[in-house]
């Protein structure tokens, strides 16, 4: 079985992210809950684009990444095909 391994450089940006300084409940809310606060925090984050790139590259299916919800990332993937 092959598993993909990540080097520390792949996630260095996470230490600088504003979300690392707040609670995960904003970025991984219960189904049907608002993601407004997570998007507000993402909007102020200097590394938002790195976060979004990571989520798209690693097919993150849950939570808010780079300021986009699961549905928004799915639509972005479909549009880029």
């Amino acid at each position: 079985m092959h598993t993909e391994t990540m080097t520390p450089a792949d996630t260095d940006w996470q230490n600088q992210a504003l979300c690392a300084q707040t609670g995960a409940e904003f970025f991984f809310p219960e189904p049907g809950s608002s993601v407004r606060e997570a998007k507000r925090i993402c909007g102020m984050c200097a590394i938002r684009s790195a976060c979004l790139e990571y989520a798209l590259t690693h097919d993150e299916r849950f939570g808010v990444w780079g300021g986009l919800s699961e549905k928004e990332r799915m639509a972005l993937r479909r549009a880029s095909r």
Side-chain angles (χ1 to χ4, degrees):
M1 177 177 173
H2 173 71
T3 57
E4 183 177 325
T5 56
M6 291 177 40
T7 61
D10 290 340
T11 58
D12 281 346
W13 59 268
Q14 290 179 349
N15 296 327
Q16 301 168 19
L18 290 179
C19 61
Q21 301 165 30
T22 60
E25 66 275 3
F26 292 121
F27 301 93
F28 297 94
E30 293 294 321
S33 297
S34 175
V35 294
R36 185 177 310 148
E37 186 63 18
K39 288 182 171 195
R40 186 185 71 74
I41 294 168
C42 289
M44 297 183 293
C45 188
I47 56 159
R48 178 180 173 189
S49 61
C51 179
L52 180 57
E53 182 180 334
Y54 175 87
L56 294 172
T57 300
H58 292 89
D59 198 26
E60 289 291 344
R61 303 223 174 174
F62 301 100
V64 175
W65 291 81
L68 298 182
S69 69
E70 300 99 333
K71 289 180 183 179
E72 292 167 329
R73 289 192 309 277
M74 187 181 304
L76 186 61
R77 278 189 210 100
R78 286 183 184 146
S80 67
R81 289 182 185 173

